[in-house]
């Protein structure tokens, strides 16, 4: 039997309205038309404008990036649920994009965000102010307690490290920088406070610190064993001086007991297609709830 929804969709083209039918209960309606849709996962679609007849390879990478980002976010959301995570350490939180995404995907446990840059910190606090389970710390994390200069003015790419020669060729923003001193603390020194009130903590560590992830990880010391899962941006091509290569970082994480559950491209070279960085999602298999087998 044809539903009222289907009858309505069938009538719209006669009124000059274009319809892109996505299946039961879902459609894109527009007077301009020309939309395309790509199925992502479950009931999720990516809808965009009409593709040109001759599309360059560079244009195509935008779709690849969006698809990888969506798949990574959903993968992490599933991992948090499967491993019964009740506290996410969001290191390099910037304006709170990661925390907001977690909430949108259904995570309701505690979020502990770290961000030392004043402008981003103000936006982060705004994002978290109405969320009683979202805590914000105004400092960076690293291998040791110190105060260091952070390079600013690079939007979401502010870093405690200087840009590499490759990074300077790739991003014009690296040529215009200012420095500001920020406080750095060790992760293992703040974990007890951050986890206070959680009876049986099952934390997850997310790091996005523009080449500084391994320093953050080192600062967790023996407390790395407390994390049931983790996420790190690993570099195939180095954007920052002194940042570890992907194989070096993954080897360190594996030595600490984590195994890869997903790898998602973050950025690519438009001309060559080479991946610059991956989001590497990992979990400690021994920490998986016994119901999973």
């Amino acid at each position: 039997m044809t539903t009222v929804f289907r009858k309505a969709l069938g009538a719209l083209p006669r009124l000059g309205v274009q319809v892109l039918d996505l299946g039961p209960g879902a459609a894109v309606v527009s007077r301009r038309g020309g939309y395309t849709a790509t199925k992502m996962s479950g009931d999720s679609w990516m809808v965009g404008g009409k593709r040109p007849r001759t599309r360059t390879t560079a244009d195509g990478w935008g779709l690849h990036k969006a698809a990888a980002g969506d798949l990574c976010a959903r993968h992490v959301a599933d991992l948090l649920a499967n491993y019964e995570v009740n506290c996410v350490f969001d290191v390099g939180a910037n304006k709170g994009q990661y925390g907001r995404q977690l909430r949108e995907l259904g995570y309701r446990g505690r979020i502990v965000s770290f961000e030392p840059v004043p402008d981003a910190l103000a936006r982060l606090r705004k994002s978290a102010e109405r969320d009683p389970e979202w805590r914000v710390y105004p400092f960076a994390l690293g291998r040791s307690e110190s105060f260091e200069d952070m390079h600013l003015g690079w939007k979401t790419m502010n870093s405690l490290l200087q840009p590499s020669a490759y990074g300077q060729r790739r991003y014009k923003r690296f040529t215009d920088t200012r420095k500001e001193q920020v406080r750095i603390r060790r992760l293992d020194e703040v974990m007890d406070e951050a986890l206070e009130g959680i009876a049986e903590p099952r934390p997850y560590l997310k790091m996005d610190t523009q080449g500084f992830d391994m320093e953050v990880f080192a600062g967790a010391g023996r407390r790395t064993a407390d994390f049931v899962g983790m996420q790190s941006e690993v570099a195939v091509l180095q954007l920052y001086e002194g940042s570890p290569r992907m194989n070096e970082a993954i080897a360190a994480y594996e030595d600490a007991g984590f195994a890869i559950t997903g790898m998602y491209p973050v950025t690519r070279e438009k001309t060559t297609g080479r991946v610059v960085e991956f989001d590497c999602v990992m979990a400690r298999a021994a920490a998986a709830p016994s119901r999973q087998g």
Side-chain angles (χ1 to χ4, degrees):
M1 179 182 294
T2 304
T3 65
V4 174
F5 176 77
R6 292 288 157 210
K7 289 181 179 178
L9 290 184
L12 287 175
R14 294 195 294 272
L15 301 176
V17 177
Q18 300 298 311
V19 175
L20 178 61
D21 192 347
L22 302 181
V28 178
V29 179
S30 171
R31 287 192 176 278
R32 293 184 178 183
Y35 285 92
T36 60
T38 303
K39 186 136 179 103
M40 303 299 291
S41 59
D43 297 325
S44 175
W45 292 80
M46 181 182 296
V47 179
K50 186 176 181 181
R51 299 189 184 105
R53 291 184 179 180
T54 56
R55 185 183 58 173
T56 67
T57 302
D59 293 331
W61 296 136
L63 177 60
H64 290 200
K65 180 177 181 178
D70 182 81
L71 290 173
C72 181
R74 293 176 184 280
H75 175 92
V76 170
D78 288 342
L79 188 149
L80 298 184
N82 291 341
Y83 278 75
E84 300 175 355
V85 169
N86 51 22
C87 185
V88 173
F89 284 75
D90 174 20
V91 186
N94 196 250
K95 301 172 185 177
Q97 301 95 315
Y98 187 83
R100 291 196 300 270
Q101 186 178 62
L102 290 182
R103 292 300 192 226
E104 290 170 2
L105 291 172
Y107 173 71
R108 294 294 174 260
R110 182 173 297 174
I111 301 172
V112 183
S113 294
F114 300 84
E115 176 55 54
V117 179
D119 291 346
L121 177 62
R123 297 282 294 275
L124 171 62
R125 283 175 165 157
K126 187 73 174 177
S127 295
E129 65 181 356
R130 297 181 183 275
D131 191 329
E133 279 301 305
W134 191 346
R135 301 183 178 186
V136 175
Y137 287 87
F139 49 80
L141 295 178
R143 185 181 298 268
S144 59
E145 177 86 25
S146 64
F147 286 86
E148 303 290 342
D149 285 337
M150 175 167 275
H151 297 83
L152 305 180
W154 300 344
K155 299 180 181 179
T156 59
M157 299 179 71
N158 297 327
S159 178
L160 285 157
L161 303 176
Q162 295 185 15
S164 66
Y166 170 76
Q168 292 180 64
R169 291 195 301 272
R170 179 173 172 82
Y171 292 107
K172 292 182 179 179
R173 70 185 71 170
F174 285 160
T175 62
D176 183 17
T177 186
R178 59 186 174 85
K179 296 180 181 179
E180 186 166 322
Q181 198 168 77
V182 300
R183 185 185 182 186
I184 300 175
R185 297 187 64 186
R186 283 180 59 91
L187 179 54
D188 57 8
E189 293 176 350
V190 299
M191 282 185 65
D192 287 340
E193 178 184 338
L195 294 169
E196 185 179 5
I198 300 178
E200 297 181 13
R202 293 181 63 80
Y204 177 87
L205 175 61
K206 168 264 180 182
M207 299 176 291
D208 183 1
T209 60
Q210 305 306 313
F212 211 67
D213 287 10
M214 284 285 290
E215 296 298 301
V216 174
F217 193 73
R222 294 181 180 179
R223 299 297 296 269
T224 57
D226 294 356
F227 291 95
V228 302
M230 61 164 289
Q231 180 176 347
S232 176
E233 198 168 81
V234 295
V236 182
L237 302 172
Q238 292 174 297
L239 295 174
Y240 305 95
E241 285 293 341
S243 62
R245 294 277 186 178
M246 181 177 72
N247 57 347
E248 179 185 347
I250 291 176
Y253 301 148
E254 289 178 335
D255 285 346
F258 296 96
I260 296 173
T261 64
M263 294 282 287
Y264 302 91
V266 177
T267 51
R268 293 178 185 268
E269 290 182 334
K270 289 184 178 181
T271 53
T272 69
R274 292 191 302 176
V275 174
V276 179
E277 296 169 311
F278 282 97
D279 257 332
C280 178
V281 183
M282 309 183 81
R284 193 182 299 280
S290 58
R291 60 179 169 78
Q292 290 184 280

